[in-house]
Amino acid sequence: MLKAQKLTLAVLISAAIISSAQASEQSEAKGFVEDANGSILFRTGYISRDKKNGVDDTSSFAQTAIVNIDSGFTPGIVGFGVGVVGDGSFKIGENNNAGNNMIPRETLNGKENSGDAYDHWARGGGNVKARFSNTTVRYGTQVLDLPVLASNTARLVPEYFTGTLLTSHEIKDLEVIAGKFTKNQYSDQVNTDGRRLDRAIVWGAKYKFDDNLNASYYGLDSKDKLERHYVNVNYKQPLANDSSLTYDFSGYHTKFDEGASTYSQTTDDLSNRKNNIWAISTAYNTGPHNLMVAYQQNSGNVGYDYGENADGGQSIYLPNSYLSDFIGNDEKSAQIQYSLDFGKLGVLPGLNWTTAFVYGWDIKVKGLTDDAEEREFFNQVKYTVQSGFAKDASLRIRNSYYRASDTYQTNAYIGDTNEWRIFLDIPVKLF
């Protein structure tokens, strides 16, 4: 891990020396106020999980306003700025449920998130930033979008991390990142360090070779939890009549520390838990149609686990991820997905439909079986207003029909579930 940090530092220093080869982002700074932007996202969110096999159903229904304000940079060799992210929410109805990562619950008998659901709550924080040439450093509360440390943004409100992130574009078409984070707050937590993150160090880079080919690598060391590495290669092959084929490979290698939380493991040696999970996919796009097939495979002695070790509730940049992520111990899975853009058909611009079926097999469940199975049928319809006073407002409705072998449910995974998610988003630009 230290070698990776030293390599990142060396790349940044070398990049700064040759940065004169392209225009500087900081030299084009217009000002602290002039480049500022602010917005509020009003979101109404509903999740219902109609569970089977004697497990109680759960639902969550709530309203929030998510604020994002970011100043520009002051002019000069080094520019400075500030930002604020946060949300204020209230539940609608009883909704005294846990497990959907939507609504926080009060502390009961010293145990967090185990009491009654909050009626209303607010979260968030500020950050400061500095920029030299094409390199920006930001410290404070942030929403992250990194394959090894990604904030969950698929619930009512986003997951927050507190720490420092450096992002550099000193070399054309190359982005280098390095960071350290010391707090992690899940979407349904009021405590700013609800995941009890000690220290997470991230590093990585992505490079655009040309308009059709790009590749990336990212690493993470979450202290006393895990070390994780991610690679991705994506190539788009243009075809006749504006059609294309896109080939994608992505994969993770994870080594879990003794204090990490895992599931679906087949070893009792807590110091030797690791896995490799990878996926390949091919997507054919023509006009309004997009058809994708994907194959995903996990190997090692434990299921790929994320989110439980302060490593981000959305840190799974793999194709076979819906309600289930198809990440059981030794699991193989295959998917077929179809998407339709109704606007390109001339029917209703802004309306999109995605349907997919994923089947997973050969799941190892210790002491029970080596060939458990799971499957999911997924559908989502999303409409985004294209013009007028409600421009960019969107309504998203998704449904998952999920079923698994009894032996896999015994291992406390999702369990047979019919899930609905309905999200209404109304963005308002402040400035």
Side-chain angles (χ1 to χ4, degrees):
M1 187 272 294
L2 291 177
K3 291 182 179 179
Q5 289 178 276
K6 291 178 181 178
L7 178 60
T8 301
L9 181 60
V11 170
L12 293 175
I13 294 173
S14 300
I17 294 174
I18 64 174
S19 61
S20 58
Q22 63 171 327
S24 165
E25 296 171 0
Q26 179 53 28
S27 67
E28 298 174 355
K30 295 179 181 178
F32 186 88
V33 175
E34 291 80 359
D35 272 342
N37 59 79
S39 64
I40 300 178
L41 176 64
F42 294 97
R43 168 174 289 171
T44 306
Y46 173 76
I47 292 182
S48 172
R49 287 178 173 168
D50 177 12
K51 299 186 178 183
K52 308 301 176 185
N53 300 332
V55 180
D56 291 338
D57 298 340
T58 61
S59 64
S60 302
F61 191 17
Q63 174 70 48
T64 191
I66 304 171
V67 179
N68 191 337
I69 298 175
D70 202 29
S71 78
F73 289 92
T74 58
I77 296 177
V78 179
F80 298 93
V82 298
V84 174
V85 291
D87 51 78
S89 314
F90 61 88
K91 72 173 184 177
I92 301 174
E94 288 298 324
N95 292 295
N96 196 31
N97 296 315
N100 295 342
N101 299 131
M102 289 276 284
I103 301 173
R105 302 177 69 173
E106 297 172 351
T107 298
L108 179 65
N109 298 325
K111 187 177 180 180
E112 293 180 318
N113 215 30
S114 60
D116 293 334
Y118 277 81
D119 292 323
H120 49 80
W121 64 99
R123 317 172 319 138
N127 54 73
V128 295
K129 58 183 181 178
R131 183 171 66 186
F132 169 73
S133 184
N134 297 305
T135 299
T136 300
V137 179
R138 187 185 295 266
Y139 170 76
T141 303
Q142 305 178 48
V143 177
L144 299 181
D145 185 16
L146 304 171
V148 292
L149 198 64
S151 299
N152 188 343
T153 58
R155 296 299 191 268
L156 183 73
V157 293
E159 175 183 6
Y160 296 126
F161 286 88
T162 300
T164 303
L165 181 65
L166 179 149
T167 306
S168 178
H169 301 105
E170 298 296 348
I171 298 177
K172 187 176 185 295
D173 296 325
L174 174 67
E175 177 181 276
V176 178
I177 67 99
K180 177 182 178 180
F181 294 88
T182 56
K183 289 185 179 181
N184 177 206
Q185 181 181 26
Y186 243 26
S187 301
D188 61 345
Q189 292 179 327
V190 175
N191 183 347
T192 57
D193 191 25
R195 306 303 290 177
R196 291 178 172 80
L197 173 61
D198 187 312
R199 180 207 66 204
I201 295 176
V202 292
W203 62 92
K206 62 180 178 181
Y207 184 67
K208 179 181 177 182
F209 293 90
D210 54 38
D211 290 339
N212 299 317
L213 177 63
N214 58 77
S216 62
Y217 159 77
Y218 293 89
L220 165 71
D221 181 8
S222 181
K223 185 179 178 182
D224 296 330
K225 298 297 184 180
L226 57 82
E227 184 172 328
R228 174 166 289 157
H229 304 271
Y230 167 87
V231 293
N232 173 260
V233 179
N234 183 278
Y235 174 68
K236 182 178 181 180
Q237 178 186 0
L239 302 176
N241 302 318
D242 292 326
S243 299
S244 65
L245 278 170
T246 300
Y247 311 95
D248 188 271
F249 171 83
S250 53
Y252 289 91
H253 169 72
T254 306
K255 174 71 169 65
F256 295 92
D257 295 338
E258 288 194 29
S261 170
T262 60
Y263 77 99
S264 187
Q265 66 187 44
T266 54
T267 177
D268 293 323
D269 184 359
L270 298 183
S271 65
N272 188 34
R273 291 175 294 170
K274 55 188 176 181
N275 61 31
N276 295 300
I277 186 168
W278 56 271
I280 53 174
S281 66
T282 301
Y284 174 65
N285 180 269
T286 179
H289 310 284
N290 191 82
L291 179 66
M292 182 186 76
V293 291
Y295 175 79
Q296 184 172 300
Q297 181 171 320
N298 186 30
S299 61
N301 53 23
V302 66
Y304 176 85
D305 207 337
Y306 69 101
E308 295 304 315
N309 296 296
D311 54 339
Q314 208 161 291
S315 299
I316 178 162
Y317 285 39
L318 295 171
N320 294 0
S321 178
Y322 295 97
L323 172 59
S324 176
D325 298 301
F326 295 85
I327 53 178
N329 185 200
D330 212 44
E331 180 171 8
K332 292 91 175 171
S333 62
Q335 173 191 182
I336 182 168
Q337 180 201 84
Y338 172 71
S339 297
L340 177 63
D341 184 341
F342 286 86
K344 291 183 178 179
L345 285 176
V347 177
L348 185 60
L351 180 63
N352 292 272
W353 169 53
T354 297
T355 184
F357 178 76
V358 191
Y359 172 67
W361 68 95
D362 281 355
I363 307 170
K364 290 184 178 180
V365 183
K366 186 179 179 181
L368 294 175
T369 183
D370 286 344
D371 59 357
E373 301 174 353
E374 60 174 334
R375 64 190 186 276
E376 180 176 351
F377 180 44
F378 171 89
N379 280 279
Q380 176 174 285
V381 176
K382 182 178 181 180
Y383 175 66
T384 303
V385 180
Q386 301 295 293
S387 60
F389 75 95
K391 187 177 184 299
D392 296 328
S394 66
L395 176 65
R396 176 169 57 93
I397 303 174
R398 61 176 276 184
N399 173 257
S400 288
Y401 175 92
Y402 174 83
R403 296 294 183 269
S405 302
D406 290 342
T407 48
Y408 198 35
Q409 298 187 57
T410 303
N411 199 44
Y413 195 52
I414 297 171
D416 290 355
T417 305
N418 298 340
E419 182 194 72
W420 287 93
R421 299 189 191 187
I422 304 174
F423 283 81
L424 173 63
D425 287 354
I426 303 175
V428 176
K429 186 172 179 59
L430 300 177
F431 50 85

